[in-house]
Amino acid sequence: MKRNLFVVVMIVCFTLPLHMACTPQSASMKAKSGEAVAVAPSLSSKNGMVAAAHPLAAKVGAEILAKGGNAVDAAIAVSFALGVVEPYASGLGGEGYMVASLADGRDVAIDFRSTAPAMATYENFAKTGQKYLSKIKFSAKGYCVAGVPAGVGKALQYATMPLKDLVAPAIKLAEEGFEVNETFSKLTFDKYEKLAENAPDFLNDGMAWSAGDKFRNPALAKTLRIIAEKGVDVFYNGELADNLDQFMQKNDGWTRKADMQSYKALDIAPVKGTYRGYELIVPGSPVGGPRILATLNILEHFNMAVMNWDDPLAIHIMQEAMILTALDQRRWVGDPLTNPFIPEKGYISKDYARQRLMRIDLNQAADPKIWKTERVGEPGAYEQGENYIDVMLAAAKAKKEAAALDGPQTQVPPSTTHFSIVDDKGNAVSWTQTISSFFGTSVMLDGYFLNNEIGNFKSKPVKDSPINLEPGRRPRTTIAPLIIREDGKVRWIIGSPGGGRIGSTVIEILVNLIDFNMDIEQAIKTPKFAGYDSYKEIRLEDRYPEKTISFLEMLGHKVKKYSYPDLYFGGPNVIAVSEDGTFKGVGSIRRLGGAAAPN
C-alpha cells in the first residue's frame, strides 16, 4: 500500500505547475512518529540528509546518520544498498567517483573507475570477428575490472563505523527482500531478452518482475556477507576474485584474477572551478567534471539571469556551449594515468572559454555537419595559463585549424545512479556509481551484474585518441558528482545518472539555481533538454512552450520531443543547504527516488 501511495504522490507532483513543489507533508512515505528516520520524495531537516534514486537506499543512509555515523559512513551504506535495490544501475560489479567536502576543511575525491583487463587489446578484439566493441559488450568480454569495492575501501579512511555495520543493511534487504517498484519493473521488461539469455536466475521464474512483486537476492546477500567478514580485499584477492576468474575462463571473458589483484582505487585531489562567485568541486578526467566547468565558463559571459528556463535564446546559448564542450571532451579528455597529454587545465581555463564563446552565433545554430571538422578546439594552448589574445593571434598567424575527430558517435544509455549526503557535522558527499548500460553486460555473478564499460573505448585505434583500448586504462564516461560552495560553506550537493545527458542536466540545474533563482525542487522539476555531440538535434521534454520550440527551429535547431518526465534525462538526487543550516533533499522524479533524514 505504501508503494501505491508513493506513486500517486509522484504522479500528482508531475501535474503541478512548475512553480509549485511537493512538500514533505504531501508524501506518504514520511516515517511515522517515533521512527528513527523520515522518508519522502522531498524533505527538510537539520539532522542531516540523504537523497538517492531509491527510497529504501535513502532510508539506509539516514539510519546510519541517526546512529551517529558521518556522511561517508552513510555513503558507503547507500552504495551497498543501491546495489541491492537498483541492481540494474550499479553494484559490486561497477565503478564510479566520489567527491567530498569534509568538516575539517579537506576536499577529497576517490576515483574508483573500472580498468580494461590485460587481455583487452585490439589484437584480441580482432579475433572476435566483430567491427564494434558494442557488439561484445553484452558478454563476459564486455567487463572491465570493477572499482566499487575498492572505492568503498578507500572511503573507509574517512568513515567512523566498521565495514560490517555499513554492509549489514544491504544484506538485510537482499535476504528479506523488498517490493519491486515501477522503475525496476519497467527496466526488467525492457531488457528481458538479454536477461533471459545471460541472467535467467535474476528473473521471476522466467518472467520479468512486475511492480508489487517481492524481490530477494540470496546470492548477493552471501557475497555481501563475505565482504563484511573479510573486507573489500576479498573481492580482488580472495574467493570472490577466484569466482570471477573461473567464470571468465568458462565464458571466454578477458578478465583474470591477476587483473583484479592489480586494480587500485585512487585517492585524488578534486578539480575546482567557479561560476558567478560560487565554488564548484568536481571529479577530474576521465569523467564529466571538467566539461561542467568548461561549459559554465562560457555561460558566465552571458547575462543568463535576464532570461528564463523557457527562453529560446537561453536554450540556444546553452545548447551551443554544451556542443562545443562535448566536442572538446570527446577529443581531449581521457585517463591521465595512461595518456601522455590530457589538457585538462587548458580545457577548464577561463581564457579558453573566451575563445570558445566566440564560436557561438546568437542568430543561428551551428550545422552538425561541421561539428567534428571545424568546431573542436585546442585547449592544450592554455595549459600554462596563457591569455586568449596571445593564443588567438598566434593561431591566426599560423592559420591552424582545430583537430578533427573520427570514429562512430555512440548513443549513451540513461543508466547509472547518483546519491547526495550531508551530515549535521558539515561533511558532504556526492557519489555516482554505474555499471554503464542498464544491467551492464546483463551477465550476473554471485548476485551482482558485471559492468560493460568496454563499450566506452574506441572500436579501432585512432591516432592520439585518449580512449583507445589499452590494458589498465580507465574509459571515459560522463558521470559528474559535484559539490557547490558559497562563501566557503556547502550550498548544494548535485549529481545525476543519464549517460550523455548527465552534463546537460547538471548544468541546467545549476543555471536554474544560480541564474534563474529557483529553489532546488523547481530546478529539478523544470523540463530538461540535452546538448550533446552524439545527436544532431536538441532533445527536450514536451513541457516547453510551443513558441519556444518554434523559435529554436527558426534558429536552425532540429527538435526531438520526449514526454515529461522522461527517464532519458537522468534522475538527479540533490541536497540544498540553507543559511540557517536546514537541509532540503529531493529524490529523483524520473526514478521514483527519495530523500531521508534522521528524526
Side-chain angles (χ1 to χ4, degrees):
M1 184 63 180
K2 283 185 177 181
R3 178 192 62 85
N4 292 333
L5 287 174
F6 176 64
V7 173
V8 169
V9 168
M10 296 309 296
I11 292 172
V12 170
C13 290
F14 298 157
T15 62
L16 289 174
L18 292 175
H19 67 277
M20 295 178 65
C22 291
T23 65
Q25 288 74 25
S26 71
S28 61
M29 290 198 66
K30 186 172 181 180
K32 296 177 181 178
S33 177
E35 291 189 7
V37 301
V39 186
S42 65
L43 193 66
S44 294
S45 172
K46 288 193 174 183
N47 300 324
M49 184 64 65
V50 182
H54 197 293
L56 289 175
K59 182 182 179 186
V60 164
E63 288 173 341
I64 293 296
L65 295 179
K67 292 177 181 177
N70 67 18
V72 179
D73 291 309
I76 293 170
V78 171
S79 173
F80 283 121
L82 283 169
V84 178
V85 298
E86 280 196 325
Y88 43 81
S90 70
L92 298 175
E95 55 153 57
Y97 218 115
M98 180 199 90
V99 294
S101 172
L102 302 181
D104 62 10
R106 287 180 294 170
D107 297 323
V108 301
I110 298 174
D111 177 337
F112 50 100
R113 299 294 319 294
S114 61
T115 58
M119 293 175 66
T121 64
Y122 285 115
E123 180 181 4
N124 284 335
F125 176 53
K127 295 175 184 178
T128 68
Q130 298 293 337
K131 186 176 181 181
Y132 298 111
L133 286 170
S134 60
K135 297 296 184 180
I136 66 166
K137 70 178 186 177
F138 296 108
S139 70
K141 286 185 174 68
Y143 178 72
C144 288
V145 180
V148 166
V152 165
K154 280 287 185 185
L156 280 169
Q157 66 185 296
Y158 308 110
T160 64
M161 297 174 66
L163 177 64
K164 62 182 180 62
D165 291 348
L166 304 177
V167 184
I171 294 172
K172 183 177 180 181
L173 282 168
E175 285 185 336
E176 297 181 3
F178 58 92
E179 198 172 87
V180 168
N181 66 14
E182 280 78 2
T183 301
F184 193 118
S185 175
K186 179 183 183 301
L187 292 172
T188 54
F189 273 97
D190 288 348
K191 299 290 184 180
Y192 176 77
E193 290 185 5
K194 288 293 183 186
L195 293 169
E197 178 184 358
N198 292 330
D201 290 346
F202 173 79
L203 297 170
N204 187 9
D205 291 329
M207 303 297 291
W209 291 94
S210 296
D213 291 341
K214 192 160 191 176
F215 176 81
R216 296 181 178 88
N217 193 337
L220 181 56
K222 179 181 177 181
T223 299
L224 291 172
R225 284 193 180 280
I226 293 171
I227 291 173
E229 293 168 4
K230 300 183 179 181
V232 297
D233 191 56
V234 71
F235 189 85
Y236 299 94
N237 289 287
E239 59 199 89
L240 297 180
D242 292 333
N243 293 350
L244 183 89
D245 187 292
Q246 294 166 14
F247 179 88
M248 286 288 169
Q249 294 195 51
K250 181 179 178 181
N251 291 278
D252 198 26
W254 284 340
T255 303
R256 297 292 182 266
K257 187 175 182 179
D259 297 306
M260 305 294 288
Q261 292 173 320
S262 64
Y263 180 85
K264 302 293 182 186
L266 306 175
D267 200 344
I268 198 165
V271 175
K272 297 180 182 180
T274 61
Y275 182 64
R276 306 198 196 281
Y278 291 88
E279 182 184 22
L280 288 85
I281 305 167
V282 305
S285 300
V287 299
R291 184 191 171 213
I292 302 294
L293 299 182
T295 307
L296 293 173
N297 285 343
I298 295 174
L299 296 182
E300 204 166 35
H301 292 274
F302 296 92
N303 190 358
M304 305 298 292
V306 301
M307 297 178 259
N308 198 10
W309 70 272
D310 59 354
D311 188 319
L313 182 57
I315 297 169
H316 171 72
I317 292 169
M318 293 171 70
Q319 167 78 359
E320 294 296 290
M322 288 191 284
I323 294 299
L324 290 170
T325 58
L327 288 166
D328 283 353
Q329 176 180 257
R330 191 175 297 276
R331 172 61 184 90
W332 298 107
V333 174
D335 183 359
L337 296 182
T338 60
N339 281 283
F341 179 60
I342 300 296
E344 182 178 87
K345 291 180 181 178
Y347 182 39
I348 65 174
S349 76
K350 299 286 188 180
D351 268 277
Y352 181 56
R354 292 185 178 95
Q355 177 176 347
R356 296 303 271 157
L357 73 87
M358 296 180 194
R359 303 302 305 272
I360 297 176
D361 185 343
L362 297 183
N363 296 296
Q364 184 68 39
D367 186 346
K369 292 179 182 178
I370 66 167
W371 284 358
K372 294 186 291 181
T373 56
E374 298 182 24
R375 296 182 72 79
V376 180
E378 291 279 1
Y382 294 84
E383 277 293 283
Q384 304 304 317
E386 290 83 351
N387 179 278
Y388 80 101
I389 299 173
D390 295 334
V391 170
M392 293 187 71
L393 285 174
K397 185 177 180 180
K399 295 182 179 179
K400 187 176 181 180
E401 262 297 342
L405 288 175
D406 52 67
Q409 306 294 317
T410 57
Q411 299 297 317
V412 188
S415 49
T416 304
T417 196
H418 172 85
F419 56 91
S420 300
I421 301 178
V422 64
D423 61 33
D424 60 3
K425 306 170 189 68
N427 300 295
V429 174
S430 188
W431 183 307
T432 305
Q433 59 187 39
T434 183
I435 49 176
S436 197
S437 302
F438 276 132
F439 293 104
T441 56
S442 71
V443 173
M444 199 173 192
L445 172 68
D446 291 339
Y448 63 88
F449 283 97
L450 305 180
N451 73 75
N452 61 351
E453 291 289 344
I454 206 76
N456 285 317
F457 290 107
K458 285 282 188 184
S459 292
K460 61 180 180 179
V462 175
K463 187 176 185 300
D464 297 328
S465 172
I467 55 167
N468 284 333
L469 182 62
E470 182 178 303
R473 175 167 285 175
R474 284 163 156 79
R476 178 179 62 223
T477 65
T478 56
I479 61 175
L482 65 154
I483 294 172
I484 301 93
R485 287 194 296 231
E486 182 180 21
D487 298 327
K489 297 179 180 179
V490 173
R491 184 72 177 86
W492 296 292
I493 308 164
I494 297 176
S496 178
R501 281 75 60 198
I502 291 174
S504 54
T505 292
V506 168
I507 290 163
E508 288 162 48
I509 289 173
L510 286 169
V511 171
N512 287 343
L513 291 168
I514 296 171
D515 294 302
F516 300 154
N517 199 32
M518 295 184 187
D519 67 29
I520 195 66
E521 205 157 357
Q522 287 177 297
I524 291 173
K525 289 182 177 179
T526 299
K528 299 296 180 285
F529 70 92
Y532 198 53
D533 65 323
S534 284
Y535 19 84
K536 310 309 180 189
E537 67 278 314
I538 291 183
R539 301 184 175 188
L540 50 72
E541 292 178 303
D542 61 8
R543 289 282 186 91
Y544 285 92
E546 282 302 321
K547 188 180 292 186
T548 295
I549 294 172
S550 295
F551 197 95
L552 290 169
E553 290 173 336
M554 183 191 75
L555 291 176
H557 294 284
K558 292 183 178 179
V559 176
K560 183 176 181 180
K561 298 180 186 179
Y562 291 74
S563 297
Y564 175 92
D566 199 296
L567 180 61
Y568 183 79
F569 295 91
N573 297 285
V574 180
I575 295 173
V577 184
S578 64
E579 290 185 5
D580 68 356
T582 299
F583 309 118
K584 182 168 185 179
V586 182
S588 164
I589 65 170
R590 294 169 177 84
R591 284 263 279 268
L592 300 181
N599 278 323

